[in-house]
Amino acid sequence: MPITRKILEVADSTPDLPAIVGPAPGESLSYAQLVTDSAHMFKSVSMLHAEQSDPPAPAPETGGIPITAVSLKSAYHSARIVAGLAGFRAVSATVDPRWPMDHQVHVITSTGIGLVITDSPDLPAALANAGWTGTAISLKEFHSHESQWVDGFDDLAQPTVRDGAEPFLMLFSSGTTSAPKAFLKTREQYRNNFAVSSAYLEPDPQVQTLAPGPMSYSLTLYALIECLASGGSIHVADEFAPIEIGTRIAQEKISRIVAVPAVVQGLAAAALRDPERFTSVNLMVVGGANLSARTRDLVGAALPDARLVSYYGAAELGFIGDSRDGDGTLISIYDGIKVQIRDPKLALSDGPAAVLPDGELGEIWISGGAVSDGYVSSTSSEHLRDAAGWGTVHDMGRIVDGKISLAGRAGDIIATGGHKVSLPEVERAFETLADLNTVCAVALPSESLGQIVALAIEERVSHSKVGKSSTFPSKSELIMHARANLAPQFVPRRWYKIDKLPRTVGGKIRRGATAELIVLAESGGHDADQLGVQRI
């Protein structure tokens, strides 16, 4: 694994270079300290697993390697544990403590996780009630356990570069609105993934990268891996706080930021208010393709000297491509990555025979060295790969001029009056309309057409000395803009003003929940004002 090889190299050549830096005083490990820390950590993890009288059986896909999960609010301590265990025979998992409790319990018990390091007061009891026989330990207790081995470093097992076929990370596909699906990444798959990201996303040696957000996000977790694999420094934060983040960027001389779109928007807004704190930033890597034109314009105004790269990928599949200019709707495919657009009805059974011609909308399938082998069978029976090794997460799109045009997930494509409509494409058409806040296109039932397109618009409220006010286009302005920028079948037939769009814990808009809220408001059995929904 490049992370272990590079950690050992840098610990020898530049031992004091920061490896992981957290937001609180004292939360910093140099490369040399990370090596020492990892030996203490693995000794404690090994003993905690070995002391169990009836240990949970790890998922067969791990090959019998014990699984250690981190369920902590602290991004720093989550990062040091994952990085520390990477050089040993261990599988690490990050379980989001903000998930519903039943989802946390489900992934831990169904995958055979044997050790959980958690700061949740409720998780240990919930696991015990579910009959789990593993060990749940608090971070404070784990630190105390590690301290036993501080003076015996030379007698402890040392991190080593391990075989590429060995799994070392267990990741999860979701967890907010549905039961999470688990999958494993082998060391070789991450080597291949790093080869792609290092060629395009510039995690260079000694570069100071800031990746704010929970380590349970695959984006943040991979930022950790790629920074250490390149010999750079990763600066983490538990949450996004503009003032604190701006101070850290200035003090820690951050030049590269890896973040989700919502954080990038917040950073750009903070940079407009206090540009001097952000002068060191020259690259912003954004997870999530089709970054809105509004966000691109905001970043361009706030950080004119910083380049913006919006990449497309999935934790199951690896990095696929990115967009760097224009409106960001076309994704350039990375070298070494192959893409097919398949008919969703035939995709798995017929394989390549189901490949659609350029320009036609279908399911995106990827071939590359980072594609995971499949979902852990105890969490999902869904196929991730076909027999030839091509994988999909059921994103929809088409090939245009050799690039990918994304259309959303399968559930984002609806049939209305015999036409296929991509709801994300409807949303993108409104990015250029002034005075419009975040929008969400949804499908509503229709007796005549089966489904119709509706647009929910989150109201933007501003506060001033004279009180609260909002700006909002008229319905006629909305319709005129839609007709000028969309094909007729894409034009919304209904329009709604909504106080607050439903979101996941990670800030993504929940399209299904938005549609349900509108249907509830229209049913007549509920007060639409109390629901915060108003038909325009």
Side-chain angles (χ1 to χ4, degrees):
M1 178 64 195
I3 181 175
T4 306
R5 181 181 294 112
K6 183 57 70 172
I7 286 171
L8 295 174
E9 289 177 0
V10 178
D12 182 60
S13 64
T14 320
D16 295 331
L17 180 70
I20 305 172
V21 182
E27 289 187 345
S28 180
L29 281 176
S30 69
Y31 273 84
Q33 291 170 330
L34 179 56
V35 171
T36 303
D37 189 62
S38 68
H40 302 153
M41 181 191 306
F42 182 68
K43 177 67 174 179
S44 291
V45 165
S46 299
M47 290 198 66
L48 288 166
H49 279 288
E51 289 169 354
Q52 297 168 359
S53 58
D54 182 22
E61 291 88 347
T62 67
I65 301 175
I67 310 169
T68 299
V70 182
S71 183
L72 299 169
K73 295 177 182 177
S74 168
Y76 170 75
H77 288 291
S78 299
R80 83 170 188 92
I81 293 171
V82 171
L85 293 179
F88 299 91
R89 185 178 181 270
V91 171
S92 299
T94 54
V95 176
D96 195 331
R98 300 170 303 170
W99 283 354
M101 185 59 67
D102 61 333
H103 287 182
Q104 297 181 54
V105 171
H106 167 72
V107 298
I108 292 169
T109 57
S110 63
T111 60
I113 290 171
L115 173 64
V116 179
I117 303 165
T118 179
D119 50 16
S120 168
D122 302 321
L123 181 57
L127 288 168
N129 291 336
W132 183 66
T133 57
T135 300
I137 187 172
S138 71
L139 183 61
K140 182 177 180 181
E141 292 169 331
F142 186 62
H143 284 328
S144 178
H145 203 285
E146 290 180 284
S147 67
Q148 300 176 67
W149 318 111
V150 171
D151 296 329
F153 175 76
D154 292 337
D155 297 325
L156 301 178
Q158 302 297 304
T160 59
V161 179
R162 304 191 62 82
D163 185 80
E166 187 178 85
F168 85 112
L169 278 180
M170 176 178 283
L171 303 175
F172 304 99
S173 63
S174 179
T176 301
T177 59
S178 59
K181 301 188 291 286
F183 57 98
L184 294 166
K185 303 301 288 192
T186 67
R187 299 170 188 275
E188 184 65 27
Q189 287 164 356
Y190 254 60
R191 287 174 184 157
N192 294 331
N193 209 29
F194 176 68
V196 174
S197 73
S198 61
Y200 292 95
L201 303 180
E202 303 177 36
D204 297 331
Q206 300 195 24
V207 164
Q208 306 298 307
T209 294
L210 171 67
M215 205 52 58
S216 52
Y217 287 4
S218 58
L219 174 143
T220 315
L221 182 61
Y222 188 73
L224 166 72
I225 300 296
E226 70 172 2
C227 286
L228 298 181
S230 64
S233 302
I234 179 76
H235 300 251
V236 298
D238 308 337
E239 58 185 2
F240 174 66
I243 296 176
E244 290 83 352
I245 290 294
T247 300
R248 287 188 65 189
I249 287 173
Q251 292 178 345
E252 298 165 16
K253 296 180 173 57
I254 303 296
S255 62
R256 179 175 179 265
I257 295 173
V258 179
V260 297
V263 169
V264 169
Q265 292 168 12
L267 282 168
L272 282 174
R273 293 191 298 268
D274 191 2
E276 291 302 315
R277 294 190 178 192
F278 295 82
T279 55
S280 61
V281 177
N282 58 45
L283 177 63
M284 300 189 78
V285 179
V286 188
N290 284 351
L291 191 66
S292 73
R294 185 174 295 147
T295 299
R296 291 174 183 271
D297 291 344
L298 178 62
V299 172
L303 298 161
D305 296 326
R307 292 167 295 129
L308 180 64
V309 178
S310 173
Y311 74 78
Y312 170 51
E316 294 97 323
L317 308 177
F319 291 104
I320 297 168
D322 67 45
S323 60
R324 304 186 179 220
D325 50 29
D327 62 4
T329 57
L330 293 179
I331 309 299
S332 298
I333 301 166
Y334 292 144
D335 289 343
I337 305 300
K338 297 178 181 178
V339 179
Q340 291 180 348
I341 306 298
R342 300 184 184 179
D343 183 336
K345 297 178 181 178
L346 305 174
L348 190 61
S349 59
D350 287 3
V355 176
L356 297 172
D358 288 3
E360 288 200 24
L361 181 65
E363 195 170 69
I364 300 172
W365 284 73
I366 301 298
S367 176
V371 176
S372 296
D373 296 332
Y375 292 112
V376 173
S377 59
S378 58
T379 64
S380 177
S381 59
E382 182 180 325
H383 290 281
L384 172 57
R385 290 172 58 146
D386 67 8
W390 289 76
T392 185
V393 291
H394 307 295
D395 284 344
M396 302 292 286
R398 53 177 67 86
I399 298 296
V400 178
D401 297 330
K403 298 180 180 181
I404 302 172
S405 174
L406 290 176
R409 290 289 175 99
D412 296 334
I413 310 298
I414 71 166
T416 176
H419 298 284
K420 285 184 180 179
V421 171
S422 164
L423 297 176
E425 290 181 1
V426 174
E427 293 163 356
R428 286 201 294 270
F430 290 90
E431 292 174 0
T432 56
L433 184 58
D435 296 327
L436 198 66
N437 201 6
T438 306
V439 303
C440 177
V442 300
L444 298 180
S446 166
E447 290 186 7
S448 59
L449 299 175
Q451 292 175 303
I452 59 171
V453 179
L455 194 73
I457 307 167
E458 192 171 59
E459 189 170 11
R460 176 187 287 132
V461 178
S462 60
H463 298 268
S464 67
K465 293 180 180 179
V466 296
K468 187 172 70 172
S469 63
S470 65
T471 55
F472 207 86
S474 67
K475 183 176 180 179
S476 60
E477 289 175 312
L478 291 168
I479 293 173
M480 287 177 59
H481 182 86
R483 289 175 176 171
N485 291 275
L486 289 167
Q489 66 269 23
F490 280 66
V491 174
R493 291 173 176 261
R494 291 186 195 166
W495 309 81
Y496 296 87
K497 184 187 296 186
I498 191 165
D499 290 349
K500 192 173 183 61
L501 288 167
R503 285 175 165 82
T504 68
V505 293
K508 292 183 179 179
I509 295 170
R510 297 168 57 196
R511 193 184 307 281
T514 302
E516 291 173 5
L517 191 63
I518 291 173
V519 170
L520 198 61
E522 293 276 41
S523 67
H526 297 79
D527 188 330
D529 289 338
Q530 287 187 347
L531 294 173
V533 177
Q534 177 186 343
R535 188 165 174 177
I536 302 173

